[in-house]
Amino acid sequence: MSKVDILFLNNKAMEELGCGDMAAVMHDVERAYTLVEQGDVITPGKLPMRWGKTAEDENVYGRINAMPGYIGGEYNMAGIKWIGSGPMNYKKGLPRASVTVILNDPDTKLPVCVADGTEVSAKRTGASGGVAMKLLSKESSSVLAICGAGAQGRTQLEAAMMVRPGIKKVYVYDIRPESSARFVEESKAKYPDVEFIAAATPKEAVCESDIIVCVTLANEPFIEADWLKKGALVMNMADFEVTYDCVKKASKIVVDNWETIKHRMISTVALMWKDGIIKDEDIHAQLGQILIGEKKGRENDDEIIYFNRLTEENFTHIARIMLGELRDSLADKGFTFSWDESLEAYLVKKSYSATYGARNLRRTIQKELEDVMAAQIIDSYEHPVTQIHASMEDGKLVVRSL
């Protein structure tokens, strides 16, 4: 048997190879968006392994996610990201997140590398925002607002300084003033030629800014349309952070994956679509369409652009929403529907597509749940069904009617 060499890279080796190079990470993220639009990727979906039985348990006991994929083009590589999240690790002086990456030869399917991917994963999050800033913000942008002084805010800042080196002033807002103050002090040391200001209110942070980045856990909007100046880029990177009027005021609405954003139903533009205010044709472009030249990015310095990003990280939440909709629909017909969390993980693994978003998820639920339940209800006319439960047993989806 022939010998197969496997390369092992720890975090120090990865740093020496340049994994912290934001410019390089942004290049790769751009190429990934492009290859997604060209259909040259395989994304089977994320498989989460959770401790505990509820979302609250997960916030204490944590989870480990397996995220496989293949990317073509000049990369032509398969692999999997194995990412652990231990919320209580801080008590042991350990980081919350850890990432291990295994790369496989797409021809032989044999492993070729095992590497630490913690830094790469963190940089990738910021790089995604950086690509949006590069394509959608004014080249002359000089004032930036960061709303949310956490880890994502820091990587967004790094990406912004990379693509818009003319930034001279940065406002930082957080609902915890001590977080804003800490962010400002750290950033002053890293970027001594930039003025950093801990804003007391979101209005103070936004009114003067050319780029507004929102990376918060807000479930109510805190950015108002009247605060946006001509030429602003509003980046709604999480949930319900900006008002409907902010989106209405925008000349263009750009997203990373529209179908997935709609089905997640949490961000501002998705809620507007649900309420019938936004239609599919109102979405100007996905980032990948701009990168391949199919659509235009920013075309002048006056247009206000709204950007919303959503990735596979949120797909489990989408599955939960869809199952909840099915439960409510069945309840209206007199049936009680319940499911195990293992079902959500199965649906994500079965359905996720970075290209087609949540459409595959809707089809999977209809085929593997709704059709099966309908058949069981019809077949049980002599003993009417009142309760339905779905779960995974020995790797198979089982639907039981009672």
Side-chain angles (χ1 to χ4, degrees):
M1 181 179 291
S2 300
K3 178 182 177 182
V4 177
D5 292 326
I6 300 178
L7 180 64
F8 289 87
L9 301 170
N10 60 16
N11 61 337
K12 182 179 180 181
M14 290 291 286
E15 289 173 4
E16 292 173 349
L17 289 170
C19 76
D21 184 344
M22 180 59 82
V25 178
M26 284 190 57
H27 167 78
D28 289 339
V29 168
E30 284 190 20
R31 289 294 297 139
Y33 276 126
T34 299
L35 291 168
V36 165
E37 291 294 333
Q38 295 172 343
D40 199 8
V41 300
I42 302 173
T43 52
K46 176 177 66 176
L47 176 63
M49 180 167 65
R50 298 183 175 90
W51 275 256
K53 297 181 179 180
T54 67
E56 290 74 19
D57 287 344
E58 186 177 316
N59 289 334
V60 176
Y61 302 114
R63 66 179 182 273
I64 303 177
N65 293 334
M67 303 169 68
Y70 164 80
I71 184 168
E74 65 271 32
Y75 303 99
N76 189 33
M77 185 61 65
I80 186 168
K81 180 168 75 170
W82 182 241
I83 176 168
S85 176
M88 298 295 108
N89 282 359
Y90 73 94
K91 295 181 179 180
K92 301 177 181 179
L94 298 172
R96 176 187 177 114
S98 62
V99 183
T100 301
V101 175
I102 302 174
L103 300 180
N104 293 72
D105 185 312
D107 179 27
T108 66
K109 312 304 185 289
L110 294 172
V112 295
C113 181
V114 179
D116 178 87
T118 306
E119 181 70 9
V120 171
S121 183
K123 293 291 183 181
R124 188 265 310 160
T125 302
S128 297
V131 172
M133 293 182 222
K134 178 180 177 181
L135 298 174
L136 306 175
S137 70
K138 296 185 300 182
E139 292 187 9
S140 61
S141 295
S142 61
V143 184
L144 168 70
I146 299 284
C147 297
Q152 286 195 43
R154 286 164 170 79
T155 57
Q156 295 297 325
L157 172 62
E158 182 179 2
M161 297 307 299
M162 181 71 62
V163 300
R164 293 293 177 254
I167 291 175
K168 298 300 180 186
K169 182 185 293 186
V170 177
Y171 287 96
V172 181
Y173 171 75
D174 196 283
I175 58 173
R176 296 173 295 275
E178 64 275 14
S179 296
S180 299
R182 184 165 56 250
F183 188 110
V184 166
E185 289 307 309
E186 291 176 7
S187 301
K188 283 180 178 179
K190 189 172 183 179
Y191 305 101
D193 295 331
V194 177
E195 180 184 5
F196 287 89
I197 301 170
T201 65
K203 182 177 181 179
E204 180 188 357
V206 169
C207 285
E208 191 184 344
S209 297
D210 301 300
I211 303 171
I212 300 101
V213 180
C214 299
V215 280
T216 74
L217 298 176
N219 53 22
E220 293 184 0
F222 60 91
I223 303 296
E224 300 286 345
D226 291 344
W227 305 344
L228 305 178
K229 71 177 189 179
K230 280 187 177 181
L233 167 63
V234 184
M235 299 178 63
N236 182 184
M237 301 292 280
D239 299 336
F240 193 15
E241 299 174 306
V242 308
T243 64
Y244 282 15
D245 285 342
C246 287
V247 181
K248 291 178 181 178
K249 193 172 183 177
S251 307
K252 290 175 180 172
I253 302 172
V254 180
V255 298
D256 67 340
N257 188 302
W258 178 227
E259 289 298 324
T260 308
I261 285 170
K262 283 193 295 184
H263 288 291
R264 186 190 178 205
M265 204 54 63
I266 286 183
S267 64
T268 303
V269 70
L271 294 171
M272 294 177 72
W273 175 82
K274 181 181 180 182
D275 291 343
I277 300 170
I278 290 291
K279 298 179 180 179
D280 290 350
E281 54 266 33
D282 294 322
I283 305 304
H284 171 69
Q286 296 188 152
L287 282 183
Q289 292 177 304
I290 297 175
L291 287 166
I292 64 176
E294 185 178 316
K295 295 289 184 70
K296 297 285 188 181
R298 175 171 289 275
E299 296 180 83
N300 60 66
D301 284 353
D302 289 334
E303 58 184 358
I304 294 173
I305 298 180
Y306 167 89
F307 173 71
N308 187 210
R309 172 184 179 269
L310 177 69
T311 65
E312 188 263 349
E313 298 290 338
N314 307 108
F315 214 65
T316 300
H317 187 79
I318 301 170
R320 193 171 296 135
I321 289 174
M322 290 186 178
L323 290 171
E325 292 172 349
L326 177 58
R327 177 198 58 212
D328 295 343
S329 176
L330 287 168
D332 291 340
K333 298 176 176 64
F335 301 103
T336 299
F337 173 53
S338 59
W339 67 90
D340 292 343
E341 285 194 4
S342 59
L343 174 64
E344 298 170 6
Y346 169 78
L347 292 172
V348 171
K349 182 179 180 181
K350 182 84 173 180
S351 310
Y352 181 73
S353 165
T355 304
Y356 297 107
R359 281 176 287 183
N360 288 344
L361 180 56
R362 180 69 72 187
R363 296 188 190 104
T364 301
I365 290 176
Q366 180 176 356
K367 180 180 179 181
E368 301 202 23
L369 273 179
E370 294 180 20
D371 291 354
V372 173
M373 288 189 290
Q376 291 183 2
I377 292 171
I378 293 172
D379 292 343
S380 64
Y381 64 92
E382 292 184 354
H383 303 284
V385 169
T386 58
Q387 299 180 45
I388 304 171
H389 183 77
S391 62
M392 299 302 298
E393 296 180 13
D394 297 324
K396 295 182 180 179
L397 174 57
V398 177
V399 180
R400 287 192 170 88
S401 300
L402 306 172

